[in-house]
Amino acid sequence: MPESSRTTCCIVGGGPAGVMAGYLFARSGVRVTVLEKHKDFFRDFRGDTVHPSTLQVFYELGLLQQFLKIPHQELRSISLKFGADLFKVADFSHLPTQCKFVALMPQWDLLNFLTEQCKQFHGFDLRMEHEATGLLYSNDRVTGVEVKTPSGNVLISADLVMGCDGRHSIIRQAAHMEVTELGVPVDVLWFRISRKNDDPEASLGNINYGKALVLQSQ
Ligand SMILES: Cc1cc2nc3c(=O)[nH]c(=O)nc-3n(C[C@H](O)[C@H](O)[C@H](O)COP(=O)(O)OP(=O)(O)OC[C@H]3O[C@@H](n4cnc5c(N)ncnc54)[C@H](O)[C@@H]3O)c2cc1C
């Protein structure tokens, strides 16, 4: 028999959506279990920009000061090069937010920070290496999640199940929700190269020959 446990809210997926939802539930005193299939958050190419609106949320939650202690770079404007001409296309200094910059920081630092903050709430339970494989139903009502772990299968029943498991969501599939395809207008090739001392500080977009190249320095 698989082991079973019970929680109030079970969130599948420990990405930004799942961890932030977990934080907000736990902060409100709701017992919450977040399931993440990987054993850590160290995955590359997940995006490095933390936008002023996100920083504003951290400010409103009282987390900003501590968050900004994590090593990061502050991007206060963005320039784009169209052919040979350079234009400033974004200037964050006018934003009505606490931070007038984009923070450049790997997503795993953000997730490690948030999960550390979650630990102060005793109703918060993060389970790494817990991969949801399906939903539990009672008649046509979702009552929990089936989970695969390195030490065997687990059934977690919950009053509320949230699918935050990304673009290939197993929860969405198990709930028979249909995806509306909107098309992808751009294909992105994302890679890392070493940085020279005289490379530009700000993210620099080069648009030419019908293609765009964005440099994001770290
Ligand atoms: C190349 C690239 C660059 C990007 N750049 C930026 C950027 O600079 N700034 C920015 O703000 N955004 C950026 N984004 C977008 C950003 O990464 C996403 O918006 C964000 O990660 C979505 O968060 P999420 O929590 O919804 O999903 P995800 O980040 O996809 O998280 C889903 C989580 O669920 C886990 N999971 C999946 N299936 C299961 C399962 N069955 N059981 C348990 N866990 C499961 C996954 O391991 C993952 O941790 C970028 C995205 C890409 C691909």
Side-chain angles (χ1 to χ4, degrees):
M1 285 290 287
E3 186 194 316
S4 63
S5 64
R6 176 152 188 87
T7 184
T8 305
C9 175
C10 182
I11 299 176
V12 178
V19 171
M20 181 51 100
Y23 179 88
L24 294 175
F25 275 115
R27 182 174 175 268
S28 306
V30 176
R31 198 152 54 109
V32 59
T33 300
V34 178
L35 309 176
E36 169 52 49
K37 70 178 175 183
H38 291 103
K39 66 172 188 292
D40 55 40
F41 297 118
F42 292 106
R43 290 179 296 293
D44 214 341
F45 307 130
R46 303 294 314 191
D48 293 342
T49 56
V50 185
H51 295 260
S53 51
T54 310
L55 295 169
Q56 185 67 14
V57 172
F58 284 166
Y59 170 68
E60 289 170 13
L61 290 169
L63 298 174
L64 184 65
Q65 248 190 334
Q66 278 164 281
F67 182 69
L68 291 180
K69 286 185 185 153
I70 303 171
H72 66 279
Q73 285 175 303
E74 296 178 4
L75 188 64
R76 292 174 186 274
S77 65
I78 296 180
S79 299
L80 275 185
K81 206 168 170 191
F82 290 92
D85 300 314
L86 187 66
F87 297 93
K88 188 182 266 192
V89 291
D91 176 356
F92 303 120
S93 65
H94 307 287
L95 290 178
T97 49
Q98 191 68 18
C99 297
K100 298 178 191 321
F101 56 82
V102 169
L104 290 179
M105 178 190 298
Q107 198 189 77
W108 61 77
D109 279 349
L110 183 147
L111 292 173
N112 282 331
F113 170 79
L114 261 183
T115 49
E116 248 339 281
Q117 298 303 315
C118 288
K119 287 183 188 159
Q120 66 184 289
F121 307 118
H122 68 265
F124 181 82
D125 175 24
L126 171 66
R127 301 201 192 173
M128 303 304 282
E129 293 190 277
H130 275 56
E131 179 177 0
T133 51
L135 287 170
L136 301 173
Y137 278 92
S138 167
N139 300 319
D140 59 352
R141 190 170 176 278
V142 173
T143 55
V145 188
E146 290 173 345
V147 186
K148 191 172 87 184
T149 79
S151 50
N153 294 344
V154 182
L155 304 178
I156 299 178
S157 39
D159 296 333
L160 174 69
V161 174
M162 286 181 67
C164 296
D165 47 342
R167 71 180 69 174
H168 303 295
S169 170
I170 189 92
I171 294 303
R172 183 177 62 209
Q173 205 181 315
H176 311 294
M177 290 178 178
E178 275 180 33
V179 178
T180 307
E181 287 287 352
L182 299 174
V184 182
V186 189
D187 288 326
V188 177
L189 178 62
W190 185 290
F191 55 93
R192 190 187 295 279
I193 52 174
S194 54
R195 189 177 186 285
K196 291 186 191 150
N197 287 339
D198 57 350
D199 281 341
E201 273 302 324
S203 287
L204 186 66
N206 289 274
I207 298 178
N208 216 338
Y209 308 110
K211 306 254 188 296
L213 173 72
V214 178
L215 299 177
Q216 189 175 306
S217 54
Q218 277 231 325

